[in-house]
Amino acid sequence: MLLLVTAHLVLAALLPTVSRWLGRWAFAVGAILPAVSLGWALTSLTEVLAGGTVDESVAWAPVLGLTFTLRLDILSLLMIFLVSGVGVLILCYCVYYFKPDAQSNSRTSALLVAFAGAMLGLVLADDLFTLYIFWELTTVCSFLLVGQDGNTKQQRRSSIQALLVTVLGGLSMLLGFVLLGEQAGTYRISEIVASPPAAGALTSTALVLILLGAFTKSAQVPFHTWLPGAMVAPTPVSAYLHAASMVKAGVYLVARLSPAFSDHTPWWPLIATLGIWTMLIGGYRALFERDLKTLLAYGTVSQLGFLMVLMGAGSHTVAMAGATMLIAHGLFKSTLFLVVGIIDHQAGTRNIDELSGIRRRFPVLTVIGAIGALSMAGIPPLFGFLGKEAAFEGFLESGTTGDLVVLVGLVLGSALTAAYSFRFLWGAFGTKPGVEDSSAPKPSLGLMVPAAVPAALTLLLGVVASLFNALATTYAKPYPAGDHPYYLALWHGFSLPLLLSAVVVASGVGLHLARDRVVRLGGWLPDFLQAQPGYERTVAGLDTVSYAVTGRFQAGSLPTYLAIILLTFVLVPGSAVLTGGSMPEELRLWDSAVQVPVAILVLTAAIAVTMAKRRMTAVILTGVVGYGIGAFFVLDGGPDLALAQFLVETLTLVAFVFVLRRLPSRFTQVESTRSPRWPKVAVSVAAGALVAVSALVFSGARQAPPEASEGFVEAAPEGAHANNVVNAILVDFRAFDTVGEISVLAVAATGVASLILATRRARRPSAAEETEGPRKSREVRK
């Protein structure tokens, strides 16, 4: 499994080079690994359906207990069908969609393959940190694919919005992972689900933070507006990332954790509330869109809300409906996006008001698009109908007030779904009065086949429901099935779910027929329901705060910077030292009477530095402090450390003397800007006291010598032929570190010398100025 994921990333790195020879056929090369991943998943189908799993673990930081842990189970298998299966179709579609000489082909092909690998790693991850790594990789790939080359303002704004929203959710999710892992005592997802931590404040907080990450990734209200904005990406990118795979990452996370936490208080109420709200808002907004791609984007938002509710409910029948709708949505939505891409590619527009006669021009494409749209509307005998009927049945089974309220929301949302599905069919393929019929050339077979395959699967899985029944039943096993388990079928007899499905379709038809009246509403929403203005105000507010903070703290004042550093040091690590540390049991004021006069000398020099008026005096007193510390090293039996200290102090004094030649001899301060000294004194004393206390606390905290030190002591005589362990470490065991430090010092010295030389050249007058100067002086005297 790890080999497959790594191979995707390696191929992505090689594709830009490959595309130089193969051009747009690099997309076909990129489709090889997703096809291999799909084939591997299919070979594991029998084992997974029997309840087995495929596990793989690779330690990448054993000392810290960090491993890459991957696991293939039924949920991972379902997601691989979408991630790899749809990925193969999209990459093949790209060969014919993009222009042969497009400069972005190499970049786009590489990013799509890298994204496929990241999504594969995400759905296989069985460790919270492994999942997070791949989660953020998909975010980065999405940002780059949406932004493309960043030539337009809309591309830049949309990609940045998607990045900000999803990264915010990802960071909160990471914190939730840490809390959840610490509460559970493990970061293995399978172990957490098998033995979840007890309910409590920390567990609830962790779940809320994790859900925030899922909601942002899967475009739930109020974070949904990034998804319609991401439609500036090329249509194949939208079909793959924003319909079939990436936006389902949040849904996948909810489905992964629901068997363990569906009965926790913050879990289901949050999912049900935001999921229904998202379904209604997304469906409502889709009714007014004139761009086919944006219509599908809001439809995707609506369907993601539906999926969230199904995956988070925690009942057997609803779980079966969730698995069914997960695959059904990936099939019909990828079909519809690819159909829109073909229309745009051939006709040059996606605007409903400009399209007419496509049905007569492209009859086969019309059939493909109709299958996808009718499945989205929940029309039998298509796969989408099976999922919606199972969802209605699942919430009717319990009969609780809460589930009935959720059912009402799902029925209303499904009616809106049917309405915008019919609007899509009319807008894409209908004949508009007063609009000239399209004369676009017929699309190539290479564009048609990738769109036809998911449409054919949608029809096949709807007619032969038993093909998917085993998968849905296996996925729903963690939830109790009851005496009469549900099964997927086109016909369950005359029942209330069937009646609700009929009501949904009839309502959708009615809303579509009344589209002229509906469109007059213009998609109006009250201010409190509009998320985009809220996002823009939030970003503008953050900009204002950042300017204020930067203006206050980045003031060009070295004392201000030093004060901020010291205050941070006192408040953050200082609070931990004072609250969690303990002083050593035995403290001695001195070990030797000779230390006392040296300590008095050091303290006197340090105090005198703060009162010095001349720069040279302050430098000499600072040197006295350094030499005094070197004297302590001598008294404590560390002559090598003392020698290093004396050398450093000597070099520092020489450097200061060279610098002070260019500065006034006395410290200068403008009287009008003189600030009170007591805050500076307080910060300095607090920082110094904390350093002293920390030294005492840390010296008493060690219970046993560290293993690394013992190894160095044992290896020094034979391995380095040295009796001085410190020298052996610096010269032999940690030689690369020493070389690095020397290199840093050399670079810094070179930079300082360059600045000094540049300053001298800038101040040195040119030959013309030297000759011009005396002449001007004579003219002035005249």
Side-chain angles (χ1 to χ4, degrees):
M1 289 184 284
L2 185 60
L3 179 62
L4 276 175
V5 175
T6 306
H8 278 78
L9 302 179
V10 171
L11 179 59
L14 296 176
L15 274 180
T17 303
V18 172
S19 66
R20 295 177 184 174
W21 292 283
L22 298 180
R24 61 181 178 179
W25 285 96
F27 289 104
V29 175
I32 294 175
L33 279 178
V36 172
S37 300
L38 180 62
W40 167 77
L42 290 173
T43 59
S44 306
L45 181 60
T46 303
E47 182 179 357
V48 172
L49 288 177
T53 60
V54 180
D55 298 279
E56 183 178 324
S57 182
V58 177
W60 59 280
V63 176
L64 301 177
L66 299 178
T67 59
F68 277 120
T69 308
L70 304 178
R71 180 185 179 92
L72 177 69
D73 60 5
I74 183 61
L75 180 57
S76 301
L77 191 68
L78 292 174
M79 288 296 296
I80 290 175
F81 289 158
L82 295 178
V83 171
S84 298
V86 175
V88 171
L89 297 175
I90 298 295
L91 286 165
C92 292
Y93 179 90
C94 289
V95 175
Y96 299 92
Y97 182 85
F98 291 105
K99 296 179 180 179
D101 56 347
Q103 295 181 354
S104 60
N105 284 349
S106 61
R107 181 178 183 274
T108 302
S109 61
L111 287 173
L112 284 174
V113 174
F115 172 81
M119 277 299 302
L120 182 64
L122 190 155
V123 301
L124 289 173
D126 190 39
D127 177 84
L128 292 175
F129 289 132
T130 303
L131 189 149
Y132 175 75
I133 290 171
F134 289 116
W135 184 284
E136 292 303 332
L137 279 177
T138 62
T139 298
V140 173
C141 290
S142 173
F143 166 73
L144 296 173
L145 284 166
V146 171
Q148 290 293 299
D149 50 12
N151 283 337
T152 67
K153 182 178 181 181
Q154 186 61 33
Q155 285 178 331
R156 295 190 295 271
R157 291 185 60 184
S158 298
S159 59
I160 290 173
Q161 180 174 356
L163 182 70
L164 289 177
V165 173
T166 52
V167 166
L168 170 66
L171 291 175
S172 71
M173 184 187 72
L174 176 60
L175 179 57
F177 281 171
V178 173
L179 293 177
L180 183 62
E182 291 301 314
Q183 286 293 103
T186 178
Y187 287 90
R188 288 286 295 269
I189 298 175
S190 56
E191 294 176 1
I192 293 173
V193 173
S195 180
L202 283 178
T203 301
S204 298
T205 302
L207 294 180
V208 171
L209 292 171
I210 291 171
L211 284 177
L212 181 59
F215 291 156
T216 55
K217 197 77 162 184
S218 288
Q220 300 296 288
V221 169
F223 310 106
H224 65 287
T225 53
W226 72 263
L227 182 55
M231 293 302 105
V232 297
T235 301
V237 172
S238 300
Y240 192 23
L241 275 67
H242 307 131
S245 56
M246 191 195 84
V247 291
K248 288 189 175 66
V251 173
Y252 165 80
L253 183 59
V254 168
R256 177 62 71 193
L257 298 178
S258 279
F261 302 108
S262 59
D263 57 346
H264 279 59
T265 300
W267 187 264
W268 174 237
L270 275 175
I271 291 174
T273 302
L274 293 183
I276 294 297
W277 187 7
T278 301
M279 190 177 185
L280 295 174
I281 290 294
Y284 174 77
R285 288 297 302 271
L287 291 177
F288 306 99
E289 294 300 327
R290 300 185 178 278
D291 182 276
L292 289 175
K293 229 177 128 179
T294 309
L295 186 154
L296 291 179
Y298 278 109
T300 300
V301 169
S302 179
Q303 291 294 292
L304 289 173
F306 188 20
L307 285 170
M308 275 288 183
V309 173
L310 299 183
M311 293 302 192
S315 69
H316 184 83
T317 304
V318 178
M320 291 186 67
T324 305
M325 283 304 302
L326 182 72
I327 300 300
H329 178 265
L331 292 177
F332 65 65
K333 197 53 71 76
S334 59
T335 296
L336 294 175
F337 267 104
L338 295 182
V339 166
V340 170
I342 293 172
I343 293 174
D344 189 20
H345 189 271
Q346 301 303 116
T349 181
R350 304 189 305 253
N351 194 315
I352 289 176
D353 298 331
E354 299 173 2
L355 291 170
S356 183
I358 297 294
R359 175 177 56 85
R360 291 190 293 270
R361 186 68 179 168
F362 305 144
V364 176
L365 185 65
T366 302
V367 173
I368 294 172
I371 292 174
L374 294 178
S375 179
M376 183 166 62
I379 306 295
L382 300 172
F383 199 33
F385 168 76
L386 301 181
K388 286 193 177 180
E389 190 178 40
F392 295 159
E393 175 66 30
F395 285 102
L396 281 170
E397 282 180 352
S398 66
T400 62
T401 303
D403 283 352
L404 292 178
V405 171
V406 172
L407 177 62
V408 171
L410 294 183
V411 170
L412 293 175
S414 298
L416 293 173
T417 301
Y420 67 69
S421 299
F422 297 135
R423 176 175 172 80
F424 173 85
L425 283 175
W426 169 79
F429 305 107
T431 301
K432 320 295 192 309
V435 180
E436 183 180 353
D437 285 357
S438 175
S439 59
K442 292 184 178 181
S444 65
L445 199 61
L447 289 174
M448 295 288 289
V449 171
V453 170
L457 289 174
T458 297
L459 180 59
L460 176 64
L461 293 175
V463 174
V464 190
S466 58
L467 292 175
F468 194 78
N469 192 71
L471 287 166
T473 304
T474 304
Y475 168 73
K477 271 186 179 179
Y479 308 102
D483 297 332
H484 303 285
Y486 186 83
Y487 62 93
L488 296 176
L490 272 176
W491 180 252
H492 288 93
F494 292 103
S495 59
L496 186 53
L498 181 62
L499 176 61
L500 291 176
S501 296
V503 169
V504 164
V505 175
S507 302
V509 171
L511 285 171
H512 174 63
L513 293 177
R515 59 180 177 271
D516 293 336
R517 299 176 187 175
V518 173
V519 170
R520 290 194 191 104
L521 294 174
W524 178 84
L525 282 174
D527 290 340
F528 71 93
L529 292 179
Q530 296 186 31
Q532 186 62 24
Y535 163 79
E536 293 173 355
R537 285 193 293 267
T538 300
V539 173
L542 289 174
D543 285 341
T544 302
V545 172
S546 65
Y547 289 141
V549 171
T550 303
R552 178 64 184 88
F553 294 105
Q554 298 294 323
S557 170
L558 186 59
T560 300
Y561 299 156
L562 186 59
I564 293 171
I565 294 172
L566 293 178
L567 279 174
T568 304
F569 169 69
V570 170
L571 295 176
V572 180
S575 59
V577 169
L578 296 178
T579 57
S582 59
M583 301 292 284
E585 296 180 0
E586 296 182 3
L587 287 177
R588 298 185 301 274
L589 292 178
W590 58 78
D591 292 318
S592 171
V594 183
Q595 293 176 335
V596 177
V598 176
I600 294 174
L601 176 65
V602 171
L603 291 174
T604 303
I607 296 172
V609 169
T610 63
M611 297 183 292
K613 302 296 184 180
R614 293 180 175 273
R615 299 179 191 272
M616 190 62 71
T617 304
V619 169
I620 293 173
L621 291 172
T622 303
V624 171
V625 174
Y627 286 118
I629 294 173
F632 278 122
F633 292 152
V634 173
L635 295 175
D636 289 337
D640 51 347
L641 295 178
L643 179 61
Q645 179 71 19
F646 292 149
L647 290 174
V648 169
E649 286 300 327
T650 302
L651 291 174
T652 303
L653 284 173
V654 172
F656 269 123
V657 169
F658 277 115
V659 172
L660 292 180
R661 293 173 56 204
R662 299 284 181 177
L663 297 176
S665 60
R666 290 178 173 271
F667 292 108
T668 56
Q669 185 174 13
V670 181
E671 293 295 331
S672 59
T673 61
R674 181 173 296 172
S675 57
R677 289 190 173 187
W678 67 265
K680 301 176 183 178
V681 174
V683 172
S684 303
V685 171
L690 178 61
V691 170
V693 173
S694 299
L696 293 174
V697 170
F698 296 156
S699 65
R702 179 176 292 175
Q703 302 298 322
E707 296 179 2
S709 298
E710 293 179 352
F712 286 143
V713 172
E714 294 174 359
E718 297 182 2
H721 301 286
N723 295 322
N724 189 314
V725 179
V726 175
N727 289 347
I729 292 173
L730 293 176
V731 177
D732 293 283
F733 302 137
R734 303 293 295 273
F736 281 115
D737 290 350
T738 304
V739 170
E741 293 168 359
I742 293 173
S743 301
V744 170
L745 291 174
V747 170
T750 303
V752 171
S754 300
L755 289 174
I756 293 174
L757 293 174
T759 304
R760 288 181 176 179
R761 291 194 188 99
R763 291 182 177 180
R764 184 180 299 167
S766 63
E769 291 175 340
E770 289 178 352
T771 57
E772 185 73 12
R775 187 176 65 83
K776 287 187 175 181
S777 299
R778 288 193 298 270
E779 291 178 354
V780 169
R781 285 196 298 269
K782 290 180 181 180

